[in-house]
Amino acid sequence: MNLKPLGDRVVVKPVEREERTKSGIVLPDTAKEKPQEGIVEAVGAGRLLDNGTKVPVELKTGERVLYAKYAGNEFKYEEIEYLIISEKDVLAVVGRNGKSKK
């Protein structure tokens, strides 16, 4: 990816949820919730504190994350939907290296 976010921002590719419930009911587009889970595609260098110290971003490319429901800005890059969010809007890392623990 030729996209490098600035500061403490990260680029996330949202992961779509299942279109069916566990019982097999198909959900229409109007009933689907906005995704809150995604894969980190790129990370910024980190935020700059008032004293000049740079705090690096804790997230790594490839990690699966949960983020705040209405966080960030959506955009399309090379026909793929992405989201740029601040590191503070990331709520948790799911599993390790983008793979869920089982």
Side-chain angles (χ1 to χ4, degrees), residues 3-43:
L3 205 63
K4 181 74 174 164
L6 301 175
D8 69 339
R9 291 178 182 85
V10 295
V11 176
V12 175
K13 182 178 177 185
V15 177
E16 294 295 325
R17 291 182 169 217
E18 292 281 331
E19 295 185 11
R20 293 179 183 260
T21 63
K22 289 182 180 180
S23 61
I25 298 172
V26 178
L27 296 172
D29 287 340
T30 56
K32 290 182 189 175
E33 288 189 20
K34 187 174 177 180
Q36 289 177 262
E37 187 173 342
I39 305 294
V40 175
E41 296 287 324
V43 296

Side-chain angles (χ1 to χ4, degrees), residues 52-68:
T53 307
K54 186 173 275 193
V55 178
V57 176
E58 292 181 42
L59 300 169
K60 293 178 179 71
T61 303
E63 289 184 313
R64 188 180 209 79
V65 294
L66 300 176
Y67 51 86

